[in-house]
Amino acid sequence: MRLPPAVPRLRAVLHLAGQDSRGLAEALGIELADARRILGAVVGRDRPLREARNVRREVLDRAAREASNARLDCLEKVDARDGFRRYLFGLGDGARVEAVRIPLFDTHHTLCLSSQVGCALGCAFCATGRLGLTRNLDSWEMVAQWLAVRADSERRITGAVFMGQGEPFHNYEAVLRAAYVLCDPAGGRIDQRRISISTAGVVPMMRRYTAEGHRFRLCVSLNAALPEKRAALMPVERGHPLDELVDAIREHGRTRDRVTVEYVMMAGVNTGEEDAEALGRLLRDIPIRLNPIAVNDATGRFRPPTEPEWSAFRDALARHLPGQPIVRRYSGGQDENAACGMLASRAS
Ligand code: SF4
């Protein structure tokens, strides 16, 4: 179903929204309390800068001087039959990105955000990968996706996942800045543990993420546990091979948080007994959570498993990964190109 745009244009001060309170205080050389009030207006209440309460005129003027002509236009929004809503946004330089609003329990939403325009990693099963990379998004451009969707939503948005267009760890600092705005008590007020950052396996940045002690949920898109097979599906395997990736997953598992391992199921490709066995060899002793999800490939090269194929694979996984949580993730929004792996900046 095609719908009119949600928010024609967000305000010029929006790029101030790309920093959490602390970052804003440093960037503007102002007191933390003032930064909180400014963020509370611009992000928390989505109001113009001048409506920040109890901030001196001189501080507001300084913030206004730093504001640029940041733009994010909602070009289109489309509703899939299952309630997923895909948004197409236009940026000031003509680039386009998408975000997907995902319904949760008929009471609230979570939001899938893009971190780059396109993606350089070229995974074989992914429409974004076929676009190639245009550029990184600024942190405010990620927060702006959330603001635009929130303005269009009656229910609360209580979670965010960086799983839209792009490899978040190729845009590490901007993604983390945006994530901290989303969980800032003056900003998005989303529980940190309900914000997920997903990587295809950029190992050095995973190690940095773990060493820095961030508490957002870390997800790794694994998709094959046999190196040749993974390299054929995900060229990133050639730069950051499975043994290094598994070490980084193990290292993160030593913190309080286990990694969520995403596994895009492609029938006849990575859902056989030998695939489950290889997963078991790699991950059996590491605390993880495994999320299999059916592939969505509009080119027809890959197909999702049938129900009997899924049952057989699930049983094999249970045998080879005893005691590990295995939760199949619903793959929604296919009829409007809103599902995982389908984001390609298309107008419908
Ligand atoms: S699956 Fe993720 S990392 Fe791979 S090409 Fe698509 S957007 Fe990039």
Side-chain angles (χ1 to χ4, degrees), residues 309-340:
E309 284 169 335
W310 156 242
S311 302
F313 187 51
R314 183 194 53 212
D315 292 348
L317 290 173
R319 261 183 282 112
H320 293 292
L321 288 165
Q324 301 274 34
I326 300 169
V327 181
R328 183 175 180 176
R329 198 150 65 80
Y330 173 65
S331 179
Q334 292 104 325
D335 55 309
E336 289 295 353
N337 296 317
C340 248

Side-chain angles (χ1 to χ4, degrees), residues 119-123 125-129 164-167 200 221 234:
C119 182
L121 286 187
C123 300
F125 47 85
C126 174
T128 311
Q165 290 187 17
E167 162 54 54
S221 188
M234 303 181 74

Side-chain angles (χ1 to χ4, degrees), residues 18-38:
Q19 313 240 27
D20 66 0
S21 309
R22 213 164 284 281
L24 198 58
E26 275 168 30
L28 296 178
I30 60 178
E31 309 245 327
L32 182 57
D34 283 338
R36 286 200 178 117
R37 290 178 194 124
I38 288 174

Side-chain angles (χ1 to χ4, degrees), residues 198 241 302 329:
S198 178
F302 300 106
R329 198 150 65 80

